[in-house]
Each structure stands twice: as structure tokens, then as C-alpha cells.
Amino acid sequence: MPLLQIEHDGFRLDGEPFRILSGGLHYFRVHPDLWRDRLHKARLMGLNTVETYVPWNLHQPRPDEFRMDGGLDLPRFLDLAASEGLHVLLRPGPYICAEWEGGGLPAWLLADPAMRLRSRDPNFLAAVDDYFSRLLPPLHDQLATRGGPVLAVQVENEYGAYGDDTAYLHHLADSLGHHGVDVPIFTCDQPADVERGALPGVLATANFGSRSAQHLATLRTARPSGPLLCTEFWIGWFDRWGGNHVVRGAEQASHELDELLATGASVNFYMFHGGTNFGFMNGANDKHTYRPTVTSYDYDAPLDEAGDPTEKFAAFRKVIAKYAPVPAEFPPACSKKFSLETVELTESIGLLQCAPALGDLVASSRPLTMEELRQNYGFVLYEAALPDAGPALLELEQVRDRAQVFLDGQPVGVLEREGHEHSLTFTVPQPGSVLTVLVENQGRVNYGQGIHDRKGLLGDVLLNGAPLVGWTSRPLPLTSLDDVPYGTGQATPTGPAFHRGTFEADGKADTFLHLDGWTKGNAWVNGFALGRYWSRGPQRSLYVPGPVLHEGANEVVVLELHAPGRGRKVAFRDAPDLGPVED
């Protein structure tokens, strides 16, 4: 592969003028069997480069465990990009934002109560250096200096919006070099933050979605010479639970793209293909109110969540053709979809009933946080015996993020961090009644100082004004459902419950799981964690990648936290429902 040079007047590739035409494509948001398809379509739109973040929290789920296999086989993804003739911009963090759980920072970092993320805290830097020592050596052959597709590597991510410690950025840049990165490195920030987030002698780039000339002028003021690159050209947006589905029209977005390319600048679309926050991996924002992100990361991109070309694909391809050659080959038509209108989930069991099969309890005087339990994602089930009968006021200082409260197994209320809710009143029927609190981690904050986002019940728990002591905490990460003891022919359980059904499929076609009438929970198909659903919307379906299905019998499991749909039925349909569009 040719080498990227950063000159005073622009990029060169082996001495020839070069414009980066790139698009965001996160391998960890796409089923690995579909990587080749998405990369091929990137080339057909006229891109010469793709960009991807690297999620530290998936690659290193424990301090002593590092994964680079299956859906995390980054070398394979890079090989596939190279086979399509695509270069790569690699963004390894350690922090990535990306509307991803915790901004990609591992939850286990927060087990240290004094941890200061994105800083020169020695414990944080030691963890980052260890991460780079595991991630980067297997990628050496992927660097352009060794014939690979990786043209450049990013240092941190939008640091200027978080801090201004240049020494911290220097440490990261030095660590990248120490672990073998010898291609150009760069920073990216929103235009107003470039000075705070840039490094002397390192390419500074900007993120924006409109007013290109104005924002590039700001970048040029900060960097009087060198290439101009918009590392995140926002052509869509993400959704949050309780909002509307955000879209940006193809005509407007392509007009903004034309204005950007007319300046001569390079670009990376954010996103070319958004993909999906599978499992528990969506992030959240907290600007005085906690707002979790939905499962879909469709992003109103040129390729939709299922990888089909949208109106933007054709519009952007037409604009790109004004400035660079595009392949004569057009992308294929939308892929075949699987449909089955009714699947009955005939087996069920209550979550409180089967919790002992899913996690071991830990006794303590107070509720333990997820991080203290060495748990990354999912739920924690807390229990305590109440000393007295009679009226009770329960006060939970910090609910992270949603607590369902039960008394002797019967629901008495829900407290949500999003609503700043902290207290419930109820009547205790007798001394020794059991208080149960099921707490859901709805996604760690991925932006701003809120990334120090520990989960579970934090702070004081008071009963009628006095500390309530004598708790058990049971982690429920739900990484495997193999031990769930389902029953058949029973009445539908009340409250949180697993529901399972089977269905027949005739091949590996994409589909969308619709849960009409269901309330809130998570879903799996053949053990693959699709993500969260919530009747609050806007999203009302879950994308099922075709490679997840088997020919013949398939299994669908739904964890419903409240009331299942009538008849415990779900549907697989050939189109998504991402909700009403924002005006």
C-alpha cells in the first residue's frame, strides 16, 4: 500500500496529490459475515477509504483478557478493506465516544473509586499502555508502512471538548509510537475546541456537519498550513429513547457535501453505515438529564441498518463523481428479507424465580455497585429484609439507571434516573418482608465528565429516614441464557420474565423483530443479543442480521420487564420501524 504524506498544501500518497474520501464503518456494529458486503458498497459509492473506531471495552472485557476474534477480528476486517482497494483511518481511542457504552472505556476501570478517566492518573495511563500493548502489535502488518491499508491513526477523540492537558495527549501519542505506530497520527475536535485538543506537530482535523467554509476557516486559523480534513462530517444523527427518529434529507446533506468538497478538503462521512448497538452496548448522554441511546445506529446513513443503499447513497455518489472517479458498477438491490407474522413464545419463567441460576449473590451491609461486583453490563438484583411492618418511605440516593421495586415479589413501583426519581411509599405487611430491587444499566454515559458512570444503587438507601442495612447483591450480566429453566403450560408470569419460542426459517435472510404490545426489555435470536426494545420509542423493531438465522428451527427469547404483548406473540417483518420522524 502507498504511504500518506502530510505536506503544507495537502495530502500526498507516494508523492501524488491525494484527497481522502472516507466513510465511517464500525466493524463492531456489523455482523462479521457482512463486513465484505458493506466494504464493497463503500467502494461502489466512490470512497477510497473507510474509518473505524476500536472499542477498548469489547476487546478487553477484563484486565487479564484480550479478544480479537469473531466479530472483533480487526485484522480480518482490515484485510477485507485492503482486498477492496480501500485505505483505512484507524481510531483506537482509548476513548471513542461513538454513542457507545461508556465511550468505549472498559467498565472495570471504574472499580477503582479514585479512577480519573482521560487524564494522567497513573492507573489510567497504565491501563491504556497495557491496552495498546495488546491491540497494536497484531496490527503492525496492517500499517501502510508495512504494506497494509492503515494510512493514519487517531490520538484520543475530541479531547478538546473534555480537557486541555496537552501532556496527556503527548503520552498517548508516545505510547502509540512505542507500540509500533509509524504512520501519521492526527487529532479531531469540533472547530471551537481544536486548540484545546490539538498536539504540536500533529495533524489537527475538525468535526462538523454544515457551514463547511466557516468551520474550515476556523481550522485554518488554528493550523495555517497542512491538509484540511473533516474527520466526522455528520450526515445524520442518533436517536434516544423517548425522542423522535432523527433524519437529514438527502438533498440537504448532499448539498453540504458538495460545498465541503468544493473547498478541496478531505472528508470522512459519519456514518457511511451506522449498524447496530447490539446487546447492551448503547451509550447515553447526561447534560443534567440522563438520556440513553436506542439500539439502532442506523444514523440515516447512505447504507441503512440492514446494509441497503438509501437515497443518500445515490445522492452522495453523484456529488463524489464531480470530484473523483467512481466505479461504473452500481450497488446491488436491497437484500432479501425474511418475514413471519406470528411467532408464539410458549415457554416462560419469572426472572426473580430463576435469578439464582443466572448469578451468585454477594452479601454486604449496603448494595454493591456493578463495578464492585466486577460486572460490566446487564442488571443487578438487590434484596433486603425489612425490620418492621407498616407504612414505609424508601429513598434511593442514586438509581443508575432504572429500578423496579418489589415487596415480597409484588411490584410496588419504578424509579428512573432519567426522571430524577428517588423515593417510593408502600405498606410493609409484616416484619421480615423482602424488598427486592432490580436495577438495569441502560448504558454508560459516553460524553463529557459523566463518563465516570458507575451502575447499580449508589449512595445511601434509607427506610423511613434510617439506613437500610443487610443486603444481598446478585449480578445478572445475561451473557448466556443457557441456564434459564423455562416451563410450559403455565400462566404468564407477572413482572420481569423470560419468554421463549421457536420458528422455522428457510435461509439466512435479514429480518426485523417487531414486539407489538410488549413494554420494555431485551431480545435474543439463537443466542445472539439483538439489543433493547422499549414501547417509549421511537424505535419499535430490532434488526436481525441474516447470518444469525439457521435453516430450519430457530429460537427467539425475550426478557420482558413488565407485561408481554397479547398472547406472548412477536413478528418478523421485512421492514424496520424506527419511529416517527423529527420535524
Side-chain angles (χ1 to χ4, degrees):
M1 282 283 183
L3 301 181
L4 184 71
Q5 294 104 32
I6 296 175
E7 305 293 346
H8 74 280
D9 59 346
F11 292 114
R12 299 284 190 279
L13 204 61
D14 276 358
E16 296 297 322
F18 180 66
R19 189 206 294 257
I20 295 171
L21 297 170
S22 178
L25 174 54
H26 300 160
Y27 62 98
F28 50 93
R29 282 182 157 129
V30 180
H31 192 284
D33 290 359
L34 301 173
W35 289 345
R36 184 184 298 276
D37 171 79
R38 308 312 193 241
L39 289 163
H40 181 63
K41 290 170 180 173
R43 184 178 64 79
L44 295 187
M45 199 176 80
L47 302 183
N48 57 31
T49 305
V50 292
E51 164 269 319
T52 186
Y53 282 126
V54 180
W56 180 8
N57 54 3
L58 288 189
H59 283 282
Q60 195 170 9
R62 307 279 175 200
D64 58 351
E65 178 186 349
F66 194 83
R67 294 189 52 209
M68 203 178 278
D69 60 349
L72 296 175
D73 191 346
L74 179 53
R76 175 175 172 264
F77 177 81
L78 298 174
D79 283 340
L80 290 172
S83 72
E84 281 291 337
L86 294 167
H87 308 292
V88 175
L89 300 177
L90 192 67
R91 306 171 77 186
Y95 163 80
I96 64 172
C97 186
E99 292 73 58
W100 189 254
E101 221 274 351
L105 298 170
W108 48 262
L109 291 170
L110 296 174
D112 176 357
M115 177 63 69
R116 290 178 294 115
L117 303 172
R118 304 183 74 189
S119 80
R120 281 184 287 158
D121 179 338
N123 290 331
F124 179 68
L125 292 184
V128 172
D129 291 343
D130 177 67
Y131 161 56
F132 283 165
S133 76
R134 296 168 186 260
L135 172 73
L136 296 172
L139 302 181
H140 285 173
D141 289 345
Q142 303 290 344
L143 300 174
T145 46
R146 294 165 177 81
V150 177
L151 287 182
V153 174
Q154 183 174 295
V155 182
E156 240 268 5
N157 186 61
E158 289 194 330
Y159 181 69
Y162 184 85
D164 58 2
D165 186 354
T166 303
Y168 164 66
L169 296 178
H170 272 300
H171 180 97
L172 297 184
D174 291 345
S175 186
L176 289 172
H178 176 74
H179 292 105
V181 173
D182 55 2
V183 297
I185 59 175
F186 63 98
T187 60
C188 81
D189 289 280
Q190 296 178 46
D193 300 325
V194 167
E195 291 287 6
R196 288 159 50 89
L199 264 175
V202 171
L203 176 66
T205 73
N207 299 343
F208 52 83
S210 61
R211 303 194 305 278
S212 297
Q214 173 187 333
H215 292 315
L216 290 173
T218 301
L219 178 58
R220 183 54 81 208
T221 299
R223 287 290 188 270
S225 66
L228 293 174
L229 168 62
C230 179
T231 295
E232 292 186 14
F233 185 62
W234 303 318
I235 53 85
W237 206 245
F238 59 91
D239 295 341
R240 66 170 179 86
W241 293 115
N244 290 323
H245 175 46
V246 182
V247 300
R248 186 180 189 188
E251 182 177 355
Q252 178 200 2
S254 59
H255 174 74
E256 297 285 358
L257 173 61
D258 201 355
E259 287 194 356
L260 172 61
L261 295 181
T263 69
S266 291
V267 66
N268 175 66
F269 303 121
Y270 197 93
M271 297 289 296
F272 165 68
H273 172 50
T276 309
N277 299 315
F278 292 118
F280 297 104
M281 300 313 298
N282 65 277
N285 284 284
D286 192 350
K287 299 175 181 178
H288 308 298
T289 298
Y290 174 79
R291 302 288 195 193
T293 303
V294 304
T295 297
S296 171
Y297 203 64
D298 177 87
Y299 218 86
D300 193 32
L303 290 189
D304 68 15
E305 190 174 7
D308 291 328
T310 68
E311 185 181 356
K312 277 182 183 166
F313 188 102
F316 284 8
R317 189 175 188 273
K318 184 177 180 180
V319 171
I320 291 170
K322 293 173 59 176
Y323 301 93
V326 300
E329 179 187 354
F330 279 87
C334 295
S335 64
K336 175 188 175 184
K337 304 296 189 297
F338 169 75
S339 295
L340 185 61
E341 186 54 35
T342 302
V343 178
E344 187 174 356
L345 310 190
T346 57
E347 301 174 87
S348 300
I349 188 169
L351 175 61
L352 305 188
Q353 177 186 346
C354 69
L358 300 173
D360 297 326
L361 61 82
V362 179
S364 59
S365 61
R366 60 171 176 80
L368 300 178
T369 67
M370 272 193 176
E371 294 74 24
E372 289 172 318
L373 293 165
R374 300 298 189 262
Q375 178 184 356
N376 292 337
Y377 321 112
F379 299 77
V380 182
L381 189 64
Y382 299 103
E383 290 192 329
L386 303 183
D388 302 307
L393 170 63
L394 176 69
E395 297 174 272
L396 306 176
E397 182 178 349
Q398 295 186 63
V399 174
R400 299 287 182 91
D401 300 305
R402 189 173 188 268
Q404 294 174 247
V405 183
F406 305 84
L407 186 61
D408 292 332
Q410 297 303 308
V412 294
V414 176
L415 298 175
E416 293 187 343
R417 173 182 180 181
E418 188 170 356
H420 305 281
E421 299 163 347
H422 302 283
S423 62
L424 283 173
T425 57
F426 48 83
T427 299
V428 181
Q430 59 190 6
S433 288
V434 176
L435 176 72
T436 301
V437 185
L438 178 66
V439 178
E440 178 186 3
N441 165 6
Q442 293 190 124
R444 287 183 180 83
V445 172
N446 56 257
Y447 189 82
Q449 297 297 326
I451 58 176
H452 297 82
D453 191 11
R454 294 168 176 87
K455 296 301 188 181
L457 293 181
L458 284 64
D460 294 332
V461 177
L462 304 178
L463 186 70
N464 292 330
L468 180 59
V469 298
W471 288 84
T472 62
S473 305
R474 189 186 300 274
L476 301 174
L478 305 185
T479 51
S480 171
L481 304 183
D482 293 344
D483 295 325
V484 176
Y486 295 97
T488 58
Q490 305 175 14
T492 303
T494 59
F498 292 100
H499 307 273
R500 181 172 69 175
T502 59
F503 62 96
E504 295 287 323
D506 57 6
K508 296 178 179 294
D510 288 348
T511 188
F512 298 90
L513 175 64
H514 289 248
L515 296 115
D516 304 339
W518 297 69
T519 307
K520 188 182 195 301
N522 298 73
W524 294 257
V525 169
N526 294 328
F528 184 89
L530 301 178
R532 311 176 200 262
Y533 66 91
W534 199 351
S535 59
R536 178 178 291 184
Q539 179 178 358
R540 298 187 183 279
S541 63
L542 292 171
Y543 170 59
V544 184
V548 168
L549 297 182
H550 310 314
E551 187 170 354
N554 293 263
E555 175 192 76
V556 56
V557 172
V558 175
L559 170 59
E560 168 58 50
L561 298 175
H562 295 281
R566 177 177 294 182
R568 289 182 287 177
K569 295 176 181 178
V570 299
F572 292 95
R573 296 178 182 142
D574 60 7
D577 182 355
L578 297 180
V581 172
E582 188 174 64
D583 294 332

